[in-house]
Amino acid sequence: MRLLRLLAIVCLLVMSVALVHSQQQISTMPLPASFRPGSGQFVIDQSFSVSLTGYKDKRVERGTQRFLQQLSRQTGMPLVNKSAESSRAGLTIRTDHGSKQVQELGEDESYDLQVTSSGAQLSAPSPLGVLHGLQTFLQLVKTSSTGFAVPEVTIQDRPRFAWRGLMIDVARHFIPLDVLKRNLDGMAAVKMNVFHWHLSENQGFRIESKKLPKLHQLGSDGLYYTQDEVRELIAYARDRGIRVIPEFDMPGHSTSWFVGYPELASAAGPYQIERKWGVFDPAMDPTQERTYKFLDQFIGEMAALFPDQYFHIGGDEVNGKQWDANPKIQEFMRSHGMKSNQDLQAYFNKRVQAIVSKHKKTMIGWDEILNPDLRKTITIQSWRGQQSLAQAAKLGYRGLLSHGYYIDLMWPAWQHYAVDPMADAAASLSPEEKQRILGGEACMWSEYVSPENIDSRIWPRSAAIAERLWSPQNVQDVNSMYQRLKIVSRHLDWLGLTHNSSYWPMLRRIAGTEDISALRTLADVVEPVKDYTREETAPSVPTSATPLNRLVDAARPESQTARQFAALVNAFISQQSNSDEIRAEIRALLTRWRDNANKFQPATVSSFLLKEVVPVSNELSALGTAGLSALDYLENGETRPETWEAEQLALVERAKKPQAQVLLMVAPAVQALIEASAATEPSSSK
Ligand code: ACM
């Protein structure tokens, strides 16, 4: 019996070691559809070369050159592409056939990658699969004891969804082309394939129009992309297997159009570029023929500039106030039997759809455009809930999910990761209806981002969304996701993304000095407030002129330190008997936090940007003290004063409240320590 039990334990141990082993063997994000790790590794030295076979394709050739440059960057080793015989090459690539002239939704993106100790083979039906496979290879490269190496593995990979997008709002804050390019590099690294370019808003019209030049001349403060730049970005994206879809939001979110063309609006002008955030009254006049003439000209020009099949017309958040207040519009609605502003917007959408179709594009819009009167060719992007995605699919429309993927809301990665386009309301759809769900998009709305901090709001969390959209639905292990997210985040550094690197200069600016050790200790455990709380707690009305130089702008959306601390506390509370090391780590962190406020005080004198942070620093110190006394009680079993627990918990509650628009993310774990210590009988403790 005892032997049997021993055998079972040994079996379990072996299995768990094997599991850990296999997880360690593959660090990619997204996780491939199927993979089998081997035991050896392929060493990459300076003799490494690539050989291209099969269909000759310029995109694959350029992709291979970039791959070698990237590998060289990752390893610090000069690598030149000596055109090697395929039998001698470290990596042999085979492409079966070419891809579409203009990248299309649903093209084959699959690839096979086999790495053995003597070399690697990558094969794919189309160049798109090759590009993805090269990214997988780059993610697999590790520093090993014998050199840089890729672990042996056999991968067969393909995406779960055909549409894996990232939307960037370049209107509320203008985002320069080079920043977009590096983010396209990030997208390619995690196999995202649609860049949704939100180009117009109340706060800015960001693209040159040659036909209607007052749009960018008067609507952009001079911050717009020329058409040459747009073509450059589209080519850059195409080289990386990414489609580019422009969005021109209408009939609302359109004040910047009216600065140059007030006659488009539903109320008399003049108009100015909007500086505040929110939903505003100006909207296009759907009752005037000249509106559609204008849109025909504009959409025609843009349809020729953007090669992709899809054309986004926005359609969200029309408050209808200008329509309500305009007697001519009211009369139009009466004479056409329209009962509501929704009816009027549906009429507008129908007219716009005809124009979009005339220019040979497929219309896509936010879920407000959903109306059974519209042709089934349109696509719905669901942002207000998963319900609208399912509803669209039931009505015969194709759809994308963005509800749950709003990365401006500062959610932790696990929360986005838990959102699945096929779950929730979509779970009960028929197989045919499910076919209409194309995928999803992460959305980077830009009220609070600048070129300096935008990468840190997009990465690494978008990699978790990318995995949700690429990997099989049963890839759900949050711990594995976080392990790999850390690795992919470092990998993205090599691509020139600044999500990690921008932290330091931003902290030095706030500190006003080189010594940021105390500020860093604090910054590492705070996160910006969540959802729309930043608006609600703003010290003054935020605008596009508001500086983005505070702790809330530098702090990462998700504190790794806080997550690790919570894991330590959880492990400690659940298995106290065997946790000396864990206890020591917890104590070290709490001590550092307790002592940080003293280090912080002298620094505050040197910078106005630190003043608002002092109370947060004091709360952190108080949390450190409270956590340490909880730990003492847990360890020593001393009798606690009667009021101790209530006092500590009141302190924790204060610390949980946002201050300076940041949240102290270690408060819940300190609370758990206090509650655990209060639950322990003093006399029975060791
Ligand atoms: C949106 O967030 N208004 C699409």
Side-chain angles (χ1 to χ4, degrees):
M1 193 63 201
R2 200 188 268 170
L3 197 68
L4 217 60
R5 200 185 300 156
L6 196 70
L7 210 65
I9 288 170
V10 168
C11 271
L12 267 176
L13 263 174
V14 168
M15 271 164 60
S16 61
V17 166
L19 202 67
V20 167
H21 185 70
S22 72
Q23 277 179 353
Q24 281 171 347
Q25 286 286 318
I26 188 117
S27 53
T28 64
M29 195 150 198
L31 215 51
S34 107
F35 61 95
R36 197 158 23 85
S39 52
Q41 61 176 26
F42 170 55
V43 173
I44 296 186
D45 57 26
Q46 281 181 274
S47 72
F48 180 81
S49 60
V50 182
S51 147
L52 297 178
T53 67
Y55 182 84
K56 272 178 85 70
D57 183 89
K58 288 274 172 233
R59 193 152 50 148
V60 166
E61 285 169 20
R62 287 193 295 270
T64 306
Q65 288 309 318
R66 280 200 313 278
F67 163 82
L68 281 167
Q69 282 163 13
Q70 192 53 33
L71 189 57
S72 182
R73 227 170 150 177
Q74 277 176 233
T75 59
M77 299 192 299
L79 293 169
V80 272
N81 193 18
K82 303 172 287 292
S83 52
E85 293 289 317
S86 53
S87 59
R88 310 263 305 270
L91 172 64
T92 306
I93 297 173
R94 187 187 157 77
T95 316
D96 289 348
H97 54 71
S99 49
K100 304 277 184 183
Q101 198 63 32
V102 173
Q103 192 174 326
E104 284 179 11
L105 174 72
E107 272 190 75
D108 194 331
E109 297 179 272
S110 68
Y111 69 93
D112 289 351
L113 175 66
Q114 174 146 40
V115 184
T116 65
S117 57
S118 56
Q121 272 94 43
L122 168 62
S123 61
S126 90
L128 294 172
V130 173
L131 294 173
H132 292 316
L134 288 172
Q135 296 295 340
T136 301
F137 189 98
L138 286 170
Q139 286 191 2
L140 289 169
V141 177
K142 286 192 167 74
T143 311
S144 82
S145 57
T146 49
F148 295 105
V150 176
E152 279 189 347
V153 67
T154 303
I155 290 173
Q156 284 164 334
D157 203 5
R158 65 188 57 243
R160 178 173 166 223
F161 291 107
W163 192 307
R164 307 174 305 280
L166 171 65
M167 187 217 76
I168 300 183
D169 165 12
V170 298
R172 290 181 173 87
H173 279 100
F174 181 68
I175 305 298
L177 210 66
D178 61 321
V179 178
L180 296 181
K181 282 183 177 173
R182 72 184 185 226
N183 278 284
L184 288 169
D185 288 336
M187 288 174 69
V190 297
K191 303 181 172 59
M192 288 176 130
N193 66 352
V194 179
F195 172 51
H196 168 172
W197 206 349
H198 185 84
L199 279 160
S200 69
E201 257 303 335
N202 298 312
Q203 295 84 359
F205 194 94
R206 302 297 180 199
I207 188 167
E208 175 190 25
S209 169
K210 293 189 197 286
K211 294 210 169 131
L212 300 155
K214 284 191 283 181
L215 283 171
H216 68 276
Q217 285 169 356
L218 300 184
S220 74
D221 299 307
L223 298 170
Y224 64 90
Y225 311 100
T226 65
Q227 295 200 358
D228 280 343
E229 287 174 323
V230 169
R231 278 186 281 271
E232 184 184 328
L233 193 91
I234 292 168
Y236 191 92
R238 174 176 164 75
D239 253 3
R240 287 152 182 77
I242 297 169
R243 299 163 48 211
V244 177
I245 295 179
E247 178 186 351
F248 300 100
D249 212 339
M250 60 184 83
H253 282 282
S254 52
T255 309
S256 66
W257 306 52
F258 307 149
V259 185
Y261 300 95
E263 65 274 19
L264 271 182
S266 303
Y271 289 89
Q272 273 153 15
I273 295 174
E274 182 58 61
R275 306 297 174 188
K276 296 186 191 132
W277 314 136
V279 174
F280 297 92
D281 301 348
M284 291 177 190
D285 185 343
T287 69
Q288 299 284 346
E289 282 311 305
R290 66 172 178 230
T291 302
Y292 302 106
K293 237 187 212 147
F294 182 101
L295 289 175
D296 185 25
Q297 250 195 316
F298 177 71
I299 291 172
E301 184 184 11
M302 292 300 133
L305 180 60
F306 288 90
D308 199 86
Q309 182 57 43
Y310 285 76
F311 196 93
H312 205 303
I313 61 119
D316 55 319
E317 297 185 306
V318 183
N319 74 11
K321 287 190 186 166
Q322 279 198 344
W323 296 348
D324 296 340
N326 181 326
K328 277 192 192 156
I329 292 177
Q330 292 304 305
E331 176 47 37
F332 181 93
M333 288 172 68
R334 263 192 301 279
S335 64
H336 286 75
M338 296 174 186
K339 295 194 172 52
S340 67
N341 287 334
Q342 281 74 26
D343 291 348
L344 183 59
Q345 195 179 346
Y347 166 81
F348 173 82
N349 289 338
K350 241 168 126 165
R351 298 289 307 265
V352 172
Q353 190 192 9
I355 296 169
V356 171
S357 294
K358 175 185 154 193
H359 296 291
K360 310 231 170 343
K361 299 288 179 183
T362 300
M363 186 166 106
I364 170 169
W366 299 104
D367 52 37
E368 285 95 329
I369 73 164
L370 183 59
N371 185 300
D373 280 353
L374 282 176
R375 285 205 248 150
K376 302 299 178 203
T377 50
I378 66 161
T379 299
I380 300 295
Q381 183 165 14
S382 167
W383 73 281
R384 292 181 301 175
Q386 284 190 249
Q387 196 67 41
S388 58
L389 182 67
Q391 196 192 348
K394 276 201 177 118
L395 289 170
Y397 297 104
R398 291 187 296 171
L400 294 179
L401 185 64
S402 278
H403 175 78
Y405 299 144
Y406 267 32
I407 48 181
D408 59 315
L409 301 185
M410 303 288 174
W411 291 6
W414 65 262
Q415 204 172 343
H416 294 301
Y417 197 61
V419 176
D420 191 297
M422 290 300 183
D424 205 276
S428 56
L429 294 175
S430 73
E432 193 192 347
E433 289 161 348
K434 281 185 175 166
Q435 288 280 320
R436 300 192 185 117
I437 295 182
L438 305 174
E441 280 187 4
C443 290
M444 181 72 261
W445 298 106
S446 71
E447 282 90 341
Y448 300 106
V449 299
S450 64
E452 187 178 46
N453 74 350
I454 189 169
D455 294 14
S456 73
R457 275 62 190 129
I458 299 176
W459 308 106
R461 293 176 304 149
S462 293
I465 298 172
E467 174 156 293
R468 176 58 54 239
L469 298 173
W470 176 282
S471 305
Q473 187 168 15
N474 65 2
V475 173
Q476 303 267 2
D477 182 338
V478 171
N479 285 331
S480 158
M481 182 275 283
Y482 272 112
Q483 272 172 22
R484 289 175 294 110
L485 194 68
K486 205 152 80 179
I487 298 168
V488 88
S489 176
R490 289 296 163 200
H491 180 77
L492 292 168
D493 286 341
W494 295 116
L495 291 165
L497 283 154
T498 65
H499 58 300
N500 289 314
S501 63
S502 68
Y503 193 54
W504 312 110
M506 289 187 86
L507 291 188
R508 280 196 289 273
R509 177 202 289 139
I510 296 167
T513 148
E514 279 295 298
D515 179 8
I516 54 167
S517 55
L519 178 58
R520 188 211 162 156
T521 297
L522 179 66
D524 278 353
V525 297
V526 300
E527 291 175 10
V529 285
K530 310 291 160 188
D531 301 311
Y532 295 102
T533 316
R534 181 139 182 199
E535 251 97 273
E536 292 152 16
T537 58
S540 58
V541 178
T543 72
S544 49
T546 304
L548 298 176
N549 55 11
R550 299 160 57 208
L551 181 61
V552 61
D553 301 304
R556 296 172 174 118
E558 184 167 17
S559 159
Q560 269 195 50
T561 309
R563 209 172 50 77
Q564 279 155 7
F565 180 67
L568 287 170
V569 168
N570 190 32
F572 172 61
I573 291 172
S574 58
Q575 40 162 314
Q576 278 186 42
S577 56
N578 183 24
S579 52
D580 282 353
E581 221 172 281
I582 288 174
R583 198 165 48 205
E585 277 187 66
I586 294 173
R587 184 170 286 281
L589 283 167
L590 289 168
T591 307
R592 188 191 313 158
W593 297 333
R594 181 196 63 194
D595 298 343
N596 201 53
N598 282 340
K599 291 192 198 146
F600 209 82
Q601 285 300 347
T604 56
V605 183
S606 64
S607 169
F608 72 103
L609 291 168
L610 276 180
K611 290 209 167 74
E612 65 168 349
V613 186
V614 174
V616 192
S617 165
N618 291 337
E619 298 284 10
L620 178 64
S621 178
L623 283 175
T625 306
L628 283 169
S629 56
L631 206 55
D632 286 342
Y633 288 132
L634 274 165
E635 285 179 342
N636 307 331
E638 284 166 24
T639 312
R640 296 170 291 267
E642 213 155 285
T643 54
W644 179 84
E645 189 191 355
E647 281 165 14
Q648 306 308 302
L649 291 179
L651 179 154
V652 167
E653 284 313 309
R654 278 200 303 280
K656 279 187 186 167
K657 294 212 168 74
Q659 290 198 74
Q661 301 190 292
V662 296
L663 294 165
L664 265 171
M665 299 309 292
V666 294
V670 170
Q671 178 177 350
L673 270 180
I674 294 165
E675 283 166 355
S677 100
T680 317
E681 274 301 309
S683 53
S684 67
S685 297
K686 106 172 151 85

